[in-house]
């Protein structure tokens, strides 16, 4: 639906708010198209602090800690196009189907989000029209353009995860996530395991599904693209040094994977 059809009284973003879509290297030559659904933690001015303490807004419930730095560096190293989303997942989660409970959470990992309680249909629609839809329309448009120009397109969705969840330590350093398409995830798993110093998650601590995800099912699987999700443990990329190291590692691995995909004619 066009943004102009949203109820004007429920408009969310104003003159002081930035665009939800952030892009790097839109004309990059790489076959890899990078996305980052939880890149940022900005809150629209109209929503204040959502009734949540600042200490909570820096946690994983608000964004994927460290992934922005990795994504930016990786895009430049690979000469790849990155499309990222700047607003906090607490406003609307851009990796969830609109309408599911976790799309606009009233509670996240035991933290109440007061400003999300009892919101109107118009408020819900405004978040979808002004944040969720522009982001996903941009990904769609980028894929359309690439396919029109007969450019190979491999979708890589970048995320990060907490080192401890519900009091249980997570041993994995990095994970490949997937659902129906296992081609790229299996190549990625092979290369990550060959590094020799990593505990690698195979659909752990998360797995992709139509119910729990949006970007890979809609932009990857539904469009027939080779794809994978990546999760990196947040303590490893919490600072710039870690972000640089992981971008370099992934840059090297994806360069090798690109050669394999081309040899197998999965990328022309």
């Amino acid at each position: 639906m066009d943004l102009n059809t949203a109820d004007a009284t429920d408009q969310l973003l104003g003159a002081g708010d930035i665009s939800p879509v952030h892009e790097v290297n839109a004309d990059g030559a790489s076959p890899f198209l990078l996305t980052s659904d939880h890149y940022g933690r900005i809150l629209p001015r109209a929503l204040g602090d959502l009734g949540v303490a600042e200490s909570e807004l820096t946690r994983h419930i608000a964004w994927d800690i460290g992934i922005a730095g990795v994504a930016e560096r990786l895009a430049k190293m690979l000469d790849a196009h990155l499309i990222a989303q700047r607003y906090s997942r607490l406003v609307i989660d851009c990796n969830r189907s609109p309408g599911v409970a976790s799309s606009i959470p009233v509670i996240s990992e035991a933290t109440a989000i007061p400003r999300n309680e009892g919101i109107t249909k118009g408020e819900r629609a405004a978040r979808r029209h002004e944040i969720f839809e522009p982001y996903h329309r941009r990904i769609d448009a980028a894929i359309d353009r690439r396919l029109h120009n007969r450019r190979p397109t491999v979708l890589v969705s970048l995320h990060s995860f907490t080192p401890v969840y519900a009091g249980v330590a997570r041993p994995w350093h990095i994970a490949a996530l997937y659902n129906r398409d296992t081609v790229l995830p299996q190549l990625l798993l092979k290369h990550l395991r060959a590094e020799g110093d990593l505990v690698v998650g195979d659909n752990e601590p998360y797995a992709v599904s139509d119910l729990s995800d949006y970007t890979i099912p809609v932009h990857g699987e539904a469009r027939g693209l080779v794809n994978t999700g990546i999760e990196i443990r947040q303590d490893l990329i919490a600072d710039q040094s870690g972000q640089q190291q992981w971008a370099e590692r992934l840059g090297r691995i994806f360069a090798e994977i690109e050669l394999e995909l081309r040899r197998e004619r999965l990328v022309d």
Side-chain angles (χ1 to χ4, degrees), residues 70-149:
V70 175
E72 294 268 345
R73 290 168 171 83
L74 184 59
K76 291 171 183 174
M77 289 175 188
L78 292 175
D79 192 22
H81 187 187
L82 165 66
I83 303 175
Q85 202 289 115
R86 292 184 170 114
Y87 284 92
S88 173
R89 71 194 333 157
L90 295 178
V91 179
I92 187 167
D93 193 323
C94 285
N95 193 36
R96 300 290 184 272
S97 293
V100 303
S102 56
S103 169
I104 301 176
V106 296
I107 188 166
S108 182
E109 294 184 15
T111 297
I113 318 298
R115 185 61 181 80
N116 287 351
E117 294 179 10
I119 64 174
T120 67
K121 182 184 287 187
E123 288 179 296
R124 221 171 257 283
R127 297 191 195 190
R128 184 173 73 250
H129 293 319
E130 298 180 48
I131 295 176
F132 181 94
E133 290 179 3
Y135 172 61
H136 287 291
R137 277 200 304 266
R138 184 65 194 105
I139 297 173
D140 262 335
I143 294 172
D144 286 344
R145 179 186 174 195
R146 296 174 73 104
L147 296 180
H148 176 77
N149 293 333

Side-chain angles (χ1 to χ4, degrees), residues 11-32:
Q11 182 174 337
L12 177 64
L13 301 181
D17 292 308
I18 64 172
S19 165
V21 182
H22 171 67
E23 292 188 76
V24 172
N25 210 17
D27 294 318
S30 172
F32 296 108

Side-chain angles (χ1 to χ4, degrees), residues 179-237:
N179 186 17
R180 298 172 181 86
D181 183 4
T182 63
V183 172
L184 181 54
Q186 291 305 317
L187 282 174
L188 181 58
L189 288 168
K190 179 185 74 172
H191 281 272
L192 289 170
R193 288 166 178 158
E195 295 284 284
D197 62 341
L198 300 176
V199 179
V200 182
D202 181 346
N203 261 349
E204 294 179 293
Y206 305 110
V208 174
S209 76
D210 294 338
L211 297 178
S212 62
D213 297 83
Y214 188 91
T215 298
I216 285 179
V218 171
H219 299 295
E221 295 177 337
R223 304 203 64 170
L225 302 182
V226 174
N227 68 83
T228 193
I230 291 180
E231 291 271 0
I232 307 173
R233 207 174 69 204
Q234 289 169 358
D235 58 312
L236 304 176
I237 55 172

Side-chain angles (χ1 to χ4, degrees), residues 50-61:
L50 290 172
V52 178
E54 176 62 23
S55 59
E56 295 291 292
L57 294 174
T58 59
R59 292 179 52 223
H60 177 71
I61 63 170

